[in-house]
Amino acid sequence: MTADQSARFEEAVLPHLDAAFNLARWLVRESADAQDLVQEAYLRAWKAFAGFHGGDARPWILTIVRNTCYTWLRKHSRQDLAVEFDEGIHSGGNSPSNPERMLIEEANRSILEQALHKLPAEFRESIVLRELEGLSYKEISEIAGVPVGTVMSRLARARARLRDCIVAASGEGGPRCAAQKLKP
């Protein structure tokens, strides 16, 4: 790869490193594994960059990260692992000064984290790409290699399942999220 191609790679792909790690962490549920997989995906992207013909590099690199993660998950059969909530990684911004509010917000984060981990990988990836990374349906469709309608369906089902899990966890009644058997 020439110096010019190397500079183009850095300019186009490196700004999406955080999004790549975020997606990998949510898919494999282990920060250390996610770091390794993002590194492997970026190496693959580096090797294939000559075939990248411009445009938005974010969906391109996230597709590579997604495929790398799913290959690893199939090989290691570790789709149901859980990761411990790390306040330093998962929180953003200033913590409130009111201890009661801090406790309530921590409980809410914990409930959401647990609900997200109960989602099948296809639902979890759709939620992460849409809600955390702010990608459009079309971009998610390109990354996941499915029609836009499938993305919309997965998001609707994931949101419904999250809602049911949160309602069940808060003790307000409603269906039990763990008992639901939704297929991606």
Side-chain angles (χ1 to χ4, degrees):
M1 187 176 284
T2 68
D4 181 50
Q5 288 174 321
S6 179
R8 282 190 332 115
F9 179 83
E10 288 179 17
E11 183 180 313
V13 180
L14 287 184
H16 308 297
L17 190 58
D18 288 339
F21 175 73
N22 195 30
L23 176 61
R25 183 178 49 82
W26 278 106
L27 289 177
V28 301
R29 303 180 197 183
E30 293 282 342
S31 291
D33 291 334
Q35 289 173 349
D36 292 344
L37 290 167
V38 168
Q39 185 175 4
E40 181 180 334
Y42 267 71
L43 181 59
R44 289 179 182 182
W46 172 264
K47 291 176 181 177
F49 192 67
F52 179 69
H53 300 294
D56 190 0
R58 189 175 188 182
W60 182 74
I61 189 63
L62 290 179
T63 300
I64 296 170
V65 170
R66 175 190 183 272
N67 292 341
T68 303
C69 289
Y70 278 122
T71 299
W72 184 88
L73 285 169
R74 278 190 299 276
K75 183 177 177 184
H76 291 87
S77 300
R78 294 173 54 157
Q79 293 186 9
D80 291 315
L81 294 177
V83 67
E84 195 172 309
F85 184 79
D86 183 343
E87 182 68 30
I89 294 174
H90 297 96
S91 69
N94 302 329
S95 58
S97 57
N98 180 334
E100 181 181 7
R101 194 160 109 198
M102 287 173 56
L103 184 61
I104 290 170
E105 287 181 5
E106 177 62 31
N108 289 341
R109 266 193 232 85
S110 179
I111 289 169
L112 180 59
E113 177 85 10
Q114 290 171 5
L116 280 169
H117 282 296
K118 291 179 182 178
L119 292 176
E122 293 84 0
F123 290 178
R124 201 170 47 250
E125 96 179 339
S126 296
I127 286 286
V128 168
L129 291 172
R130 178 69 180 162
E131 305 301 338
L132 300 180
E133 296 304 326
L135 296 178
S136 70
Y137 293 151
K138 184 177 184 226
E139 290 171 319
I140 298 168
S141 168
E142 291 170 9
I143 291 168
V146 297
V148 172
T150 301
V151 170
M152 294 169 67
S153 174
R154 285 179 181 176
L155 282 168
R157 293 172 73 191
R159 288 175 180 143
R161 179 122 179 226
L162 282 174
R163 181 184 58 246
D164 291 345
C165 287
I166 290 168
V167 167
S170 66
E172 297 176 14
R176 300 270 317 153
C177 66
Q180 291 181 353
K181 299 290 185 199
L182 295 178
K183 295 188 193 266

